[in-house]
Amino acid sequence: MDDFTARDGGGTVWAAARAARAWLDAANGTGDAELTCRLLKLTEEAGEVAGAWIGLLGQNPRKGVTHTREDVAAELADVAFTALVAIESLGLDARAVLDRCAAKVQDRLHPPG
């Protein structure tokens, strides 16, 4: 078990997000320009979701149906993972940030009283 997995209690997603952040830090640095690129990467990935959905619907008559729901889900997963790496790149614990977000949503779905 590598250091990331050990620290994370075996959580593959969280370990991979931390490892990706460390790899990007080593390759590209950690300055504001690099962080900007990591944040902009979310927009790029979201565009790929849109393209896959358009391909699923066959909205490009020249191409027809080119994607499946699984393709769309895979692109959505890329968005989610890219967001986790961006959170880690801000110097925050992505798992804790996501847990707080989930708790906020739960509170909205089930308000007290």
Side-chain angles (χ1 to χ4, degrees), residues 46-99:
E48 292 178 15
V49 172
W53 185 249
I54 288 167
L56 173 72
L57 297 177
Q59 286 297 301
N60 183 335
R62 184 176 55 82
K63 295 181 180 179
V65 174
T66 58
H67 290 77
T68 65
R69 285 184 175 267
E70 289 76 16
D71 294 329
V72 175
E75 296 298 346
L76 286 166
D78 285 346
V79 171
F81 189 78
T82 300
L84 296 178
V85 173
I87 292 167
E88 290 283 337
S89 296
L90 290 168
L92 303 171
D93 181 329
R95 181 183 232 162
V97 171
L98 202 58
D99 282 346

Side-chain angles (χ1 to χ4, degrees):
M1 187 178 329
D2 66 22
D3 182 49
F4 292 113
T5 304
R7 238 183 323 156
D8 210 19
T12 305
V13 170
W14 313 111
R18 285 193 184 113
R21 189 243 340 125
W23 177 72
L24 288 168
D25 287 355
N28 299 336
T30 59
D32 286 346
E34 174 59 20
L35 183 54
T36 299
C37 289
R38 293 182 201 184
L39 296 173
L40 290 173
K41 182 73 173 163
L42 283 164
T43 303
E44 178 189 5
E45 295 296 344
E48 292 178 15
V49 172
W53 185 249
I54 288 167
L56 173 72
L57 297 177
Q59 286 297 301
N60 183 335
R62 184 176 55 82
K63 295 181 180 179
V65 174
T66 58
H67 290 77
T68 65
R69 285 184 175 267
E70 289 76 16
D71 294 329
V72 175
E75 296 298 346
L76 286 166
D78 285 346
V79 171
F81 189 78
T82 300
L84 296 178
V85 173
I87 292 167
E88 290 283 337
S89 296
L90 290 168
L92 303 171
D93 181 329
R95 181 183 232 162
V97 171
L98 202 58
D99 282 346
R100 284 192 300 273
C101 179
K104 180 177 64 176
V105 170
Q106 282 292 92
D107 289 346
R108 287 183 187 152
L109 295 174
H110 306 288

